[in-house]
Structures are given as structure tokens and as C-alpha cells.
Amino acid sequence: MKKRLAVSLMLCLLLTSCVSTEIIDEVPVVFIAGFDKGSEGKIKGTISLQRFKPNQEVETRTFQAEAHTSKGLRNKLSGVPKPITIGKMAVMLFGEEEAEKGVLRVLDSFLRDPASGRLMYIGVVEGSAGDLITEEFEYLQGIGPFLQILIRQSIEYGNMPQNNLHLFDYKYYGKGMDPYMPLLKKNEDEIIVSGLALFKGEKMVGELDLEEMFMFTLINKNHKAGLFEVALSDGNFATLHKVKSHVDYTIDNGNTSPEVSIKVDIKANIAQYTGDKLDDKIKKMIAKEFEEKIQKDSLKLIKKFQDLQIDPLALGDRARSQTRQFNFSNWEDQYTGLDIKIKPTVGILESGIID
Amino acid sequence: MENNRKKDLLVSSFLVMFIIHSNQVGVGILGFPRYITQYTEQDAWIVVIITGLIFHVFVWMMYVILGDDNEDIIDLHKKWFGSWIGGFLNILFMLYMLLGAVIVLRTSIEVIQAWMFPELQTWIPAIMYLLLTYYVLAGGFRTVVGVSFFGVILPIWLITTAVSPAKFSSFTNLLPVFDHSLKEFAMGIKQMTLSYLGAEILLFAYPFLKNPKKSRIWAHLGIMGTTVIYLIVMVISIAFYSDEQLQQTIWSTLVSWKMVELPFVERFEYIGITFWCFVIFPNLCLYIWAATRIGKKTLHIKQKHFSIVLLFLVFLACVMIATREQIDMLNTVTASIGTYFFYIYVPIIFLYSVIRRRVTR
């Protein structure tokens, strides 16, 4: 009996090698992939591979191919050693044209594949994503990790709203909200964040510039943003930093004629002031002018969203959470004509170590 | 009593908590939120609590049914309904237990195939699992309980991973509270019952407890533990996914593990699934153990020999089920059998036992 058991246990150990192995030193690892509109409705995919060499060097190579599905691209990438692993993929980029056509045909395979992560950043490139990836920038760590750090830092310390593959998917499927992605651009010999790409469903329909993106980030969620320059009416400038916003949305009569009011409570420090002396009066003035600016700009921003018939602020979802038996079709009929009030309050906390 | 209650075969009363809890939590927890939210959306967490409370009632009923005589349900069936009808009921029970074992094993293998090794054939992990099950069963009930104890203790730290998806969650998804009709709640509770199935193991384990009457509180604590864990998973799932997105996701709990960031492993699911084997295993052992008990008492076959036959049957069934649709169908069938068992059979036999004891006294 014991012998038989031992044999069968041995059998188990032998049988475990029945699936294919993937050894990290041998498989090519994709860090970044770009997707553009190809010919005849195909997708043009560009990937940048990193191979870890025995002498601790990292070799980066890029490949391009066209196919109808993003999984089909894998077959077409004939020059690439297989199998390609996407588990480490950190950034996915879309060319502007492909984003306008719809990103879901590419995203579907990444959402379906258990090997792919969902903390991956996705973004839109002004122009072609493929050109951006194949371009030889002088980034030491390679373009994939560089972009990952660029986007992560823009979110953590800058003025970009939180975003990744999961959150895009969340907003794509969620009712009463629309997704967005960072917009990137090649600027001579470097890559910069140029704003925010707005989506309606899976299609890109508009964009925000950096200043609009800052406003959006402030009123969208509680956020700690980076720097912002306020132009004052007396010709001076003040730069605010560590701008912290606390937002509170109240939506009444969600099912009949909705009234939206947004309270934005902002705390900021003054980092720079071009005038002579920064006394309490001036501080109050800066706060007041910043309030007026938020008031004016964010209403303009919301008007823009209403004209595009999109809802990146998730007003519909916030209305749902505050209304019993919420009626989405009524909301959607009324959305473009909604009356929205914004009440910003700005408090200046510190002004550095001098007055 | 045919149970002469040998002291060295018994287990401490508090262990009934682990027996019930480990038999309830299985593969269901990896994907149950979407089945409940399809009826009650943001109120699904209330359904979890209500169903938990209902199961507290069932546990109370089961204790009343079992009475004071250290008998299990197999003895009671025979005593109350005679050896023919009672025996028939026992055989039905046995099939139900086997179904439970099959569904747990096949679904967990499906998870392994879908997430880790797509090329893995079903029979390989099935054989590995079942051989191990035989090894545990050969050690007797005390070993089975030991497995269910570790099946709870070892993977318990996985709860902490809920923090990662919580960072990307919007908890306003839980509002407004109580915004569904009674009918929708009822539908949700019916679906939720599947995840709470497994408490029926008490009907078999009861005579093996050192102090059965005092084990009550522990059994209720077991149900409470299950409720708390399900509640955490449900709240996180509602907040982490948008409604439609959750409906698309087959294993929502596994997908939310994608948010875990560790420096040494990119896909946390691989660690999670591996630890999940500890959770699956007690289910398998307890179900098949209960089935062999029935075999011993009704068909008079030695438990050790009978377990080989049963394991072989489970193995065959697992290999024959191939697609997602079949697995889903099996889940639906088990859910309705389990629902009928708890909502119809348990109350009826509860009333019967109360009346019968009154009359005979």
C-alpha cells in the first residue's frame, strides 16, 4: 500500500511539467505598446521589448505590425522571439486617429487576458503612437519605464486626475460617467503631457489643455494638485502650490428637474508673488481672484462637457447616489441644459518663510 | 446507540466553527458579487447580511433537529422514516454531498486553468487533489477537521488584500441604501444562498463533538465569520466596480487582486490562487467524508473502501465537465437544490422533530 502511494505521488510530480514554461531570462518583456489606425481598418501595433541580458544590461528593441485584432498582432510580429509576455506592461498608448475610432477593440484583449495588469497607464498621443515609441529619445531607462514614471508623477504631484486601465474600464461601463486619458505630445526631443483626452464611450471626442485639466482635477475629486499660476488684476502674478481641494456635490430633484451645486473647498500655499509685500490684504485678494477664476473657468469647462454631451465629472453617477429610484433616461435628456452652481472657497495657509 | 462515542475519535466543540466556516467558504467567494448585484445592485451587501441571519436560524433549527442523543441525520432518518424511506433520503443526501464536492473541485480547477495554466488538462490537478483527499480521509475525521482548521487559519491574511482595490474604489456606489423592492431582495437572497451552502455539514459532524450541546455558540460564530468575510468582499466589489463592469467580470475578487502592488511579484493573483487551494481542500474533504459516512451507515461499506469509489466518481465527473457553460449550469443546479434543501426540507424536518418529540414524550 505504501509503495503504491509513493508511486502515485511520484507520478504527480512527473506530471507537473505538462504545461509550457516561461523563464524570465528568455522571454521578451513588453513594457510599452502603441496602437495606431492602420490601413483597411486594421490596427497598427508598435511594441517596445526589453530583454534582460546576463550582464545586467537591458536591451530595448521596437517592432511594428498590422492586424485586425490586437491578439492577431502577436502572430504578425514575425521578428520577435516568442512567447511575448504582457504581464509587465506599464503603458499603453493610442494614436489620436485610433482613439477617435474607438479604443475598445484593443483594450478588450487586455481586459480579457488574465496575465495583463490593470494598473497599467493608458494615454493618447497627439499624432502617431508608433512614431513616439520608435523615436530614439535619450532616456536612460528606455521609453516604457520613463513614461510610466512621467504619468505617475503627474498624478501624484501634478495636476493630472488619477487614471489607469481599470479606471478607464470602470468609467466606460459605468452609467452616468465618461472616461478620460492623459494626452501626450512629442516636443522636439522630449515627451510632455499636453492635457487630457476626453472620451464618449470608447471614442475620443475632445481634449482639455493643461489649465483646463487643472480645473477639472480640482473640482472632480478630492485632490492634492501641484503648482498653479494666478494672474492678478493689478498685473502681478502669484503662484500657488500644494493646492488641496475638497469637493462636495449636492444634487436635488434628481428625477424631475435636477439642481446641481458643487462646493469646492481649496487650501493652498503661496510659493511666489511678483509684487512688493505680501500682506493679509493681498493674500485675501489672491484668494478672492482665484475663487473667481475657478468659478468662471469651471463653469466654462462644464459647458464644454455639456456641448460634447459627455460627463467626465460623473455627475450622473453622483445624482444616482443621491436620488432614490434614479431615472437615467430623464437625466440624460436634461443633462445638456442642466443648471450647475459652483461655490469655491479658497484659503491661503502659508506663504513661505518671508512676508 | 451504535455510536459508543470513543473519546479518541472526538474533536473539541469549538472546532465546529472551523468545520462550518471552511465548508461554507469555497470558490463562490471569488465571483459571487456579480450574481447578487444583478438583482439588488448597490444594496447587495444587505442581502449578504440578511442571508447570514437566515442561516443563523437554520443552524438553530439543525441543533433542534439533532436533539440530545448524539445522533447524526443519517441515524435520525432511519429512526424516523424506517430503513427504506430513510435509506432513500440518505442516498439523496449522499448524491448532494458528491455534487458539492464535484462543483468545488471543478470550479477551482477552472480558475487554475483560466488564470495560471491554460494548457493544463483537468485530470492532472483533479488526481493530485483527490489523492490528497484520500490521504486525509484515511486519517479519519480528526484529520479532516485538522485540514478545515488550517483551511481557515492559513489563508486568513488574504483579507488584508482588500486594502489595495479600496484605494481605487468610490464608496458612493453604496448609496442610496434600501432602494430595491422586496422581490429583488428575495431574488438576491435566493442567489446568495449558494454561497452560504455547506452549513449542512453540521448534521453529520454533530456526534463527533466532545460536547455537542455546548457547541452551539461556536456554530453561530462560524456563520458569523462567513458573513463578515462575504460582507467585506461584497462592499469592496460594489465600490471597486461600476455596475455594468461587475456584470462582465467572472471572477471579480481575483480581478481586484490585480490592484495589489508588490515589489517581487507583478501578478498577485498567482499567490492568491495558490493560497486558495487551502480554502478549497476542506470543502472537498468534508463533503466526501460525509458521503462515506452515509455509505457506512446505510450501505454498510467500510469508509476507507467506499471513499475510493466516491473519489473515482468525483474524478470522472470533473473530467467530463469541460466548458464554462456546463460549470455555470452545475452551479445553478446546485444552488436550487441547496435552496430547496434549506428553505423547505430543513423547516419541515424541524417541525417534524419538534412534534414527534412532544408526542413520544
Side-chain angles (χ1 to χ4, degrees):
Chain A
M1 190 61 217
K2 253 188 192 154
K3 213 182 205 172
R4 235 190 297 161
L5 202 67
V7 169
S8 41
L9 281 176
M10 286 255 289
L11 204 65
C12 282
L13 290 177
L14 291 174
L15 288 169
T16 47
S17 55
C18 282
V19 291
S20 61
T21 53
E22 287 181 8
I23 298 163
I24 187 73
D25 293 333
E26 289 167 13
V27 293
V29 176
V30 185
F31 257 89
I32 181 169
F35 300 94
D36 289 296
K37 203 172 147 189
S39 54
E40 299 159 20
K42 286 185 185 168
I43 308 167
K44 192 169 98 185
T46 312
I47 57 170
S48 162
L49 291 183
Q50 302 208 320
R51 287 190 82 168
F52 299 97
K53 286 193 196 162
N55 56 356
Q56 297 214 327
E57 260 180 43
V58 184
E59 176 193 32
T60 314
R61 287 197 291 170
T62 53
F63 297 88
Q64 252 180 358
E66 285 194 16
H68 285 283
T69 59
S70 58
K71 273 280 182 294
L73 282 173
R74 289 196 181 191
N75 277 335
K76 294 280 173 63
L77 289 165
S78 47
V80 183
K82 293 179 177 66
I84 306 171
T85 51
I86 59 165
K88 194 90 184 117
M89 212 166 117
V91 182
M92 193 185 337
L93 298 176
F94 293 94
E96 218 170 347
E97 274 182 60
E98 175 67 14
E100 277 160 10
K101 194 173 177 298
V103 293
L104 208 70
R105 62 174 182 167
V106 171
L107 287 187
D108 177 80
S109 96
F110 289 91
L111 292 166
R112 204 174 284 283
D113 193 336
S116 94
R118 294 211 174 176
L119 289 169
M120 175 195 306
Y121 292 119
I122 48 180
V124 177
V125 178
E126 283 183 37
S128 153
D131 291 353
L132 192 87
I133 293 171
T134 44
E135 177 98 22
E136 292 193 358
F137 294 102
E138 287 180 2
Y139 297 126
L140 271 182
Q141 66 272 62
I143 181 171
F146 169 77
L147 274 179
Q148 183 186 20
I149 294 166
L150 176 74
I151 297 175
R152 180 184 293 156
Q153 292 186 340
S154 305
I155 291 169
E156 280 175 16
Y157 308 108
N159 303 335
M160 193 190 282
Q162 177 68 277
N163 197 37
N164 55 37
L165 180 58
H166 166 74
L167 289 172
F168 185 90
D169 190 46
Y170 177 91
K171 291 184 186 116
Y172 172 73
Y173 282 114
K175 269 189 255 168
M177 50 185 131
D178 283 300
Y180 43 81
M181 287 184 199
L183 194 59
L184 303 165
K185 193 169 88 176
K186 198 185 90 182
N187 192 8
E188 287 169 17
D189 55 353
E190 56 177 5
I191 305 170
I192 57 163
V193 177
S194 64
L196 206 62
L198 302 171
F199 281 74
K200 181 177 185 167
E202 57 156 344
K203 292 185 171 66
M204 178 177 162
V205 290
E207 56 189 75
L208 301 181
D209 62 26
L210 283 174
E211 193 166 321
E212 287 171 316
M213 180 169 88
F214 173 72
M215 276 304 148
F216 176 74
T217 315
L218 272 192
I219 62 168
N220 183 29
K221 273 189 179 160
N222 299 351
H223 189 88
K224 266 187 251 173
L227 289 164
F228 189 74
E229 195 178 80
V230 194
L232 302 170
S233 50
D234 61 0
N236 282 322
F237 288 89
T239 306
L240 302 174
H241 82 145
K242 294 195 179 153
V243 185
K244 246 163 98 178
S245 77
H246 178 87
V247 294
D248 188 14
Y249 283 68
T250 322
I251 295 156
D252 294 322
N253 311 329
N255 277 344
T256 48
S257 46
E259 288 165 26
V260 182
S261 88
I262 308 171
K263 260 195 229 156
V264 193
D265 189 18
I266 287 164
K267 298 263 183 302
N269 295 350
I270 294 176
Q272 200 179 356
Y273 174 61
T274 55
D276 300 337
K277 198 166 170 10
L278 190 61
D279 53 20
D280 271 358
K281 223 175 98 191
I282 306 246
K283 276 191 204 165
K284 279 211 183 91
M285 187 189 81
I286 294 173
K288 191 148 181 294
E289 295 212 3
F290 190 39
E291 273 170 20
E292 277 163 17
K293 187 171 173 54
I294 294 170
Q295 173 89 23
K296 206 177 79 200
D297 286 9
S298 48
L299 283 178
K300 224 195 290 170
L301 196 64
I302 292 169
K303 189 87 194 65
K304 184 173 181 173
F305 295 153
Q306 285 175 327
D307 289 345
L308 287 168
Q309 299 185 351
I310 54 170
D311 189 0
L313 286 168
L315 290 175
D317 186 55
R318 296 185 215 248
R320 179 203 58 75
S321 74
Q322 297 181 19
T323 315
R324 295 203 159 261
Q325 302 293 331
F326 185 64
N327 181 350
F328 264 108
S329 59
N330 175 52
W331 171 268
E332 272 155 23
D333 291 343
Q334 303 215 17
Y335 178 70
T336 48
L338 273 187
D339 184 31
I340 295 165
K341 291 189 183 69
I342 295 190
K343 289 174 214 149
T345 44
V346 176
I348 306 285
L349 297 178
E350 303 279 337
S351 52
I353 53 172
I354 55 165
D355 250 351
Chain B
M1 231 40 280
E2 64 131 7
N3 260 317
N4 45 5
R5 309 235 329 144
K6 284 188 211 135
K7 265 262 147 52
D8 55 338
L9 285 179
L10 305 181
V11 296
S12 299
S13 311
F14 81 94
L15 285 167
V16 76
M17 174 168 96
F18 292 96
I19 296 172
I20 289 182
H21 177 71
S22 69
N23 207 33
Q24 281 187 310
V25 179
V27 273
I29 195 171
L30 299 179
F32 78 94
R34 81 159 172 166
Y35 295 98
I36 321 301
T37 48
Q38 66 179 331
Y39 298 112
T40 53
E41 293 161 333
Q42 78 275 19
D43 284 335
W45 61 276
I46 303 171
V47 172
V48 173
I49 295 178
I50 297 176
T51 319
L53 292 177
I54 293 175
F55 268 78
H56 278 293
V57 177
F58 285 141
V59 165
W60 173 74
M61 282 182 176
M62 285 196 279
Y63 268 97
V64 173
I65 292 169
L66 289 163
D68 308 329
D69 294 335
N70 293 326
E71 295 164 302
D72 59 15
I73 192 75
I74 313 169
D75 300 324
L76 291 175
H77 273 156
K78 264 202 239 166
K79 196 165 94 182
W80 290 344
F81 306 113
S83 56
W84 280 104
I85 300 176
F88 176 69
L89 281 175
N90 283 338
I91 298 293
L92 283 186
F93 252 78
M94 189 170 83
L95 293 177
Y96 172 54
M97 292 290 140
L98 284 183
L99 190 62
V102 169
I103 195 168
V104 163
L105 182 58
R106 187 60 190 92
T107 317
S108 65
I109 292 174
E110 189 202 6
V111 172
I112 296 172
Q113 285 170 332
W115 285 79
M116 297 168 84
F117 306 112
E119 299 147 58
L120 187 69
Q121 282 168 312
T122 312
W123 63 272
I124 300 170
I127 273 201
M128 285 155 82
Y129 253 126
L130 293 172
L131 276 177
L132 207 55
T133 312
Y134 174 76
Y135 176 70
V136 171
L137 289 177
F141 183 65
R142 288 169 67 99
T143 326
V144 174
V145 175
V147 165
S148 58
F149 176 76
F150 283 111
V152 178
I153 294 297
L154 289 178
I156 195 85
W157 62 275
L158 285 173
I159 288 187
T160 56
T161 58
V163 174
S164 298
K167 276 190 279 186
F168 295 92
S169 296
S170 40
F171 286 93
T172 51
N173 284 5
L174 293 163
L175 298 169
V177 183
F178 276 120
D179 200 26
H180 288 86
S181 66
L182 272 179
K183 195 189 157 206
E184 284 163 325
F185 274 110
M187 298 289 277
I189 290 169
K190 185 168 174 270
Q191 276 293 333
M192 192 64 217
T193 304
L194 174 66
S195 299
Y196 275 97
L197 292 184
E200 64 270 20
I201 198 72
L202 177 67
L203 295 171
F204 298 91
Y206 186 69
F208 286 88
L209 304 173
K210 264 187 193 141
N211 203 340
K213 269 199 268 174
K214 285 200 177 142
S215 66
R216 240 167 228 247
I217 177 84
W218 296 108
H220 285 288
L221 278 177
I223 303 275
M224 206 184 281
T226 310
T227 313
V228 168
I229 287 177
Y230 282 169
L231 195 60
I232 294 172
V233 172
M234 184 56 105
V235 167
I236 293 288
S237 300
I238 295 171
F240 180 66
Y241 295 98
S242 52
D243 196 38
E244 193 69 14
Q245 190 189 16
L246 184 56
Q247 294 309 321
Q248 295 248 332
T249 312
I250 301 176
W251 291 293
S252 48
T253 311
L254 285 180
V255 171
S256 68
W257 275 341
K258 282 185 181 294
M259 296 292 133
V260 179
E261 268 184 305
L262 293 173
F264 56 91
V265 62
E266 196 71 22
R267 287 285 81 74
F268 179 78
E269 302 98 278
Y270 284 54
I271 296 177
I273 293 172
T274 316
F275 264 87
W276 215 252
C277 294
F278 285 115
V279 181
I280 306 304
F281 195 44
N283 281 266
L284 208 54
C285 294
L286 283 166
Y287 274 131
I288 296 177
W289 171 80
T292 59
R293 287 290 293 170
I294 299 174
K296 182 188 173 187
K297 287 193 168 176
T298 334
L299 307 169
H300 306 291
I301 312 171
K302 217 174 159 214
Q303 259 175 294
K304 223 177 199 174
H305 299 160
F306 195 49
S307 64
I308 295 176
V309 178
L310 292 184
L311 289 171
F312 187 67
L313 286 178
V314 171
F315 175 73
L316 277 186
C318 278
V319 175
M320 273 172 359
I321 305 162
T323 63
R324 177 95 263 272
E325 283 75 38
Q326 289 169 332
I327 296 172
D328 225 26
M329 199 195 74
L330 198 68
N331 270 287
T332 321
V333 169
T334 320
S336 39
I337 295 177
T339 314
Y340 290 130
F341 170 77
F342 271 108
Y343 291 91
I344 296 176
Y345 174 80
V346 171
I348 287 178
I349 205 151
F350 165 76
L351 286 177
Y352 181 85
S353 71
V354 171
I355 294 167
R356 194 189 155 95
R357 288 204 180 105
R358 281 263 159 88
V359 171
T360 48
R361 196 180 295 157

